[in-house]
Amino acid sequence: MTTTVVAGNPKPGSRTLDAATRLATSLSGEQPDHVIDVVELGAGLLGWGDPAVKNAVDTVSSSNLVIFASPTFKATYTGILKLFLDQFATGEGLRDVTAVPLMLGAGPAHAMAPDLLLKPVLVELGATCPVAGLYLIDSTYTEDSRIADYAQRWAPVLHATTRTEAS
Amino acid sequence: MTTTVVAGNPKPGSRTLDAATRLATSLSGEQPDHVIDVVELGAGLLGWGDPAVKNAVDTVSSSNLVIFASPTFKATYTGILKLFLDQFATGEGLRDVTAVPLMLGAGPAHAMAPDLLLKPVLVELGATCPVAGLYLIDSTYTEDSRIADYAQRWAPVLHATTRTEAS
Amino acid sequence: MTTTVVAGNPKPGSRTLDAATRLATSLSGEQPDHVIDVVELGAGLLGWGDPAVKNAVDTVSSSNLVIFASPTFKATYTGILKLFLDQFATGEGLRDVTAVPLMLGAGPAHAMAPDLLLKPVLVELGATCPVAGLYLIDSTYTEDSRIADYAQRWAPVLHATTRTEAS
Amino acid sequence: MTTTVVAGNPKPGSRTLDAATRLATSLSGEQPDHVIDVVELGAGLLGWGDPAVKNAVDTVSSSNLVIFASPTFKATYTGILKLFLDQFATGEGLRDVTAVPLMLGAGPAHAMAPDLLLKPVLVELGATCPVAGLYLIDSTYTEDSRIADYAQRWAPVLHATTRTEAS
């Protein structure tokens, strides 16, 4: 099983990236195979056909399990994450990819954003999104048990869909 | 595998019910085990503890695959369907249930409603909703190939999650 | 200016009703002209043509400012409120009505529900919804300053739209 | 009254920009005072503090009426539009700005996107969004009457809120 983390934070090496990596590790039992820090793709995201962007898209498309992570900007995912998602083919770009929407915020008020706002974009790209999205508080996720609790609750369902797709 | 259809149309024996039954049959290969036409539960839906309502809730909670179907009223699911969903326990009422949101409308303008509006309620109840919701045009669904196309695309993923849950 | 409160809580005389009445009073400077506790309309809500339901719909349709209030059930508004909203004509039922979506919850996690879920239904009915929805914590709204802060921030905009419609 | 058009299409001089300009003209009776084709801001959008981006933000923040326009990418607004919106201050960046969400698509299936997805971002920035969003079919909007119909229905309400804010 190939696991990939996509972090859409305008700041490189963000807590978003860290939290997504922890979640991927918790869900799969090992470090993710690929980590894409979207901001490092730079200005190539603003057009079409950039080789590094295309390479990142191909990595994601050929993964079995992908964590799509974003901080909460203006009560939803970031523009930079959406720029990257805009590069995938509608209905097909995430076919056979099991995707998990993850968002981080400073407080609990935007806890509905992963399921109401980020997940529908992933579904539109053809992803299988079998479980509830996860919303973490950015100042406490390294200490609380939310990631572990989530993995315990949902890993079996995620593995069921990824096994099927890989077969 | 136990398959159940839930139709939330204020008119008994509606096209909503028919379409949901066709979808269940197409996904599972056989007629659904249970069909719940919510309106027939009557005024017991307005309170808590009605025996017939409780029985219907138990039937749904113990199913493996459930189609939740609604016509489009005011650009979203009906009040009567939500009345029934309000009877389930948050986070647990649909645990281990694989759920499919289905909506019908007179035209295509509300095609986003199953994924943006109905699915999040099912997820809140703990359901596994692994695939895109389905939106059908109520005047053409018996003739077009939308249900068959949907079943071909998504039945394998739905079966993967239901098999796991049943094991 | 005619101000009306609509409370969609299955329990009569709820905190939902109280909070909506406080908000209406704070926004208009006087007690609301009409208070509709939807649950008191009873089983007539399940069909069409009930005289008491029709009367309540007419009261709302002819108001200038209406607070639509709901507790948070399953991360969105209640089925009983939606049953009542289903009685209005699409696009016209709330024409020239300035509407405010208000929701109460036990904690902050569902704070996005008024704007993402309840407001779009009111807009579909033709309402003017000029300002952000309000989400209150049901255990603290009588003591905190959220209603007063909201009224100070948004009353001028609400009055601008209601004045226009009334002219 | 200062009217501004913001078009978030990765292609410069797009139909999105044209449709938004037509809508602004139809609503205000004259050509918009400012037209911001977001893609022309280039790579400065990927960070913070770019002078041209800041200038564009200031133009929008000090306008009375702003059309925010996007093509439909992956069933919602574009990443490039969201990049620009991420530059505004939460709750304050669009204070006293009356905003209209406009989206264009190839077909009717995404007609709910302006109200369910784009409008909440504008509200989060503090905008007054008094009326329903507009969704246009990109191949027919120059010939059909949708823009004119919308202006006739909603211009009075928009003017009521903009007049207040300007006073």
Side-chain angles (χ1 to χ4, degrees):
Chain A
M1 187 174 79
T2 304
T3 302
T4 297
V5 158
V6 174
N9 192 311
K11 180 181 158 190
S14 61
R15 286 184 292 190
T16 310
L17 183 68
D18 176 62
T21 303
R22 288 168 186 250
L23 178 60
T25 304
S26 193
L27 288 170
S28 71
E30 47 191 60
Q31 287 285 311
D33 299 282
H34 307 284
V35 174
I36 296 170
D37 202 356
V38 176
V39 69
E40 297 191 346
L41 296 171
L45 290 164
L46 293 168
W48 314 109
D50 179 86
V53 172
K54 186 180 181 311
N55 190 47
V57 167
D58 291 345
T59 296
V60 171
S61 291
S62 58
S63 298
N64 299 106
L65 176 65
V66 182
I67 314 298
F68 289 90
S70 177
T72 306
F73 277 25
K74 318 313 170 192
T76 187
Y77 49 79
T78 59
I80 196 165
L81 179 60
K82 184 57 166 43
L83 264 193
F84 183 58
L85 294 174
D86 285 349
Q87 300 276 340
F88 290 75
T90 298
E92 296 295 325
L94 294 180
R95 177 186 276 258
D96 295 339
V97 174
T98 293
V100 176
L102 168 66
M103 291 179 64
L104 287 84
H110 299 126
M112 298 174 73
D115 269 282
L116 289 183
L117 299 171
L118 180 49
K119 185 190 281 185
V121 181
L122 306 177
V123 169
E124 181 75 10
L125 299 178
T128 298
C129 292
V131 304
L134 180 60
Y135 181 85
L136 297 172
I137 304 299
D138 57 18
S139 57
T140 61
Y141 75 90
T142 60
E143 297 160 18
D144 63 35
S145 65
R146 303 274 329 283
I147 290 176
D149 296 346
Y150 183 88
Q152 184 170 27
R153 172 76 174 92
W154 292 117
V157 177
L158 289 167
H159 291 174
T161 61
T162 52
R163 276 203 302 273
T164 301
E165 290 158 356
S167 66
Chain B
M1 187 174 79
T2 303
T3 302
T4 298
V5 158
V6 174
N9 192 312
K11 179 182 159 191
S14 62
R15 287 184 291 192
T16 310
L17 183 68
D18 176 62
T21 303
R22 288 170 186 249
L23 178 60
T25 304
S26 193
L27 288 170
S28 70
E30 46 191 62
Q31 288 284 312
D33 298 283
H34 306 285
V35 173
I36 296 171
D37 202 358
V38 176
V39 70
E40 297 192 344
L41 295 170
L45 290 164
L46 292 167
W48 314 110
D50 179 85
V53 171
K54 187 181 180 312
N55 189 48
V57 168
D58 291 345
T59 296
V60 170
S61 291
S62 58
S63 299
N64 300 106
L65 175 66
V66 182
I67 313 300
F68 290 91
S70 178
T72 307
F73 276 26
K74 318 312 170 193
T76 185
Y77 50 77
T78 58
I80 196 163
L81 178 61
K82 183 59 167 41
L83 265 194
F84 183 59
L85 295 173
D86 285 349
Q87 300 276 341
F88 290 75
T90 297
E92 295 295 325
L94 295 180
R95 179 187 274 257
D96 295 338
V97 174
T98 294
V100 176
L102 168 66
M103 290 181 65
L104 288 84
H110 299 126
M112 298 175 73
D115 269 283
L116 289 184
L117 299 171
L118 179 50
K119 184 190 281 185
V121 181
L122 306 177
V123 169
E124 181 74 10
L125 298 178
T128 299
C129 293
V131 304
L134 179 60
Y135 181 86
L136 298 172
I137 304 300
D138 57 18
S139 56
T140 60
Y141 75 90
T142 60
E143 297 161 16
D144 63 35
S145 66
R146 304 272 330 281
I147 290 176
D149 295 346
Y150 183 87
Q152 183 170 30
R153 173 75 173 90
W154 292 117
V157 178
L158 289 168
H159 291 175
T161 61
T162 53
R163 276 203 303 273
T164 302
E165 291 157 356
S167 68
Chain C
M1 187 174 80
T2 304
T3 302
T4 297
V5 159
V6 174
N9 192 311
K11 179 181 158 192
S14 61
R15 286 185 292 193
T16 310
L17 183 68
D18 176 63
T21 303
R22 288 169 186 249
L23 178 60
T25 305
S26 193
L27 288 170
S28 71
E30 46 191 62
Q31 288 283 313
D33 299 283
H34 306 284
V35 174
I36 296 171
D37 202 359
V38 175
V39 69
E40 296 191 345
L41 296 170
L45 289 163
L46 293 168
W48 313 110
D50 179 86
V53 172
K54 186 180 182 310
N55 190 47
V57 168
D58 290 345
T59 296
V60 170
S61 291
S62 58
S63 298
N64 299 106
L65 175 66
V66 183
I67 314 300
F68 289 91
S70 177
T72 306
F73 277 26
K74 318 312 170 192
T76 185
Y77 49 79
T78 59
I80 195 164
L81 179 61
K82 184 58 166 42
L83 264 194
F84 183 59
L85 295 173
D86 285 349
Q87 301 276 340
F88 290 75
T90 298
E92 295 295 325
L94 296 180
R95 179 187 275 256
D96 294 339
V97 174
T98 294
V100 176
L102 168 66
M103 291 181 64
L104 288 84
H110 299 126
M112 298 175 72
D115 269 283
L116 290 184
L117 300 171
L118 179 50
K119 185 190 281 185
V121 180
L122 305 178
V123 169
E124 181 75 9
L125 299 178
T128 299
C129 292
V131 304
L134 179 60
Y135 181 85
L136 297 172
I137 304 300
D138 57 18
S139 56
T140 60
Y141 75 90
T142 59
E143 297 161 16
D144 63 35
S145 66
R146 305 274 328 282
I147 290 175
D149 295 346
Y150 183 88
Q152 184 170 30
R153 173 76 173 89
W154 293 116
V157 177
L158 289 167
H159 291 174
T161 61
T162 53
R163 276 203 303 273
T164 301
E165 291 157 357
S167 66
Chain D
M1 188 173 80
T2 304
T3 301
T4 297
V5 157
V6 174
N9 192 312
K11 180 181 158 191
S14 61
R15 288 184 289 190
T16 310
L17 183 67
D18 176 63
T21 303
R22 288 168 185 250
L23 178 60
T25 304
S26 193
L27 288 170
S28 71
E30 47 192 59
Q31 287 285 312
D33 298 283
H34 306 284
V35 174
I36 296 171
D37 201 357
V38 176
V39 69
E40 296 191 346
L41 297 170
L45 291 164
L46 293 167
W48 314 110
D50 179 87
V53 171
K54 186 178 181 312
N55 191 47
V57 167
D58 291 345
T59 296
V60 171
S61 292
S62 58
S63 298
N64 299 105
L65 175 66
V66 183
I67 314 298
F68 290 91
S70 178
T72 307
F73 276 26
K74 318 313 171 192
T76 186
Y77 50 78
T78 59
I80 196 164
L81 178 60
K82 184 58 167 44
L83 265 194
F84 183 58
L85 294 174
D86 285 349
Q87 301 276 339
F88 289 75
T90 297
E92 296 295 326
L94 295 180
R95 179 187 275 258
D96 295 339
V97 174
T98 293
V100 176
L102 168 66
M103 292 181 62
L104 288 84
H110 299 126
M112 298 175 72
D115 269 282
L116 290 183
L117 300 171
L118 180 49
K119 184 190 281 185
V121 180
L122 306 177
V123 169
E124 181 75 10
L125 299 177
T128 299
C129 293
V131 304
L134 179 61
Y135 181 85
L136 297 172
I137 304 299
D138 57 18
S139 57
T140 60
Y141 75 90
T142 59
E143 296 161 17
D144 63 36
S145 65
R146 303 275 328 282
I147 290 175
D149 295 346
Y150 183 88
Q152 183 170 30
R153 172 76 173 91
W154 293 117
V157 177
L158 290 167
H159 291 174
T161 61
T162 53
R163 276 203 303 273
T164 300
E165 290 158 357
S167 67

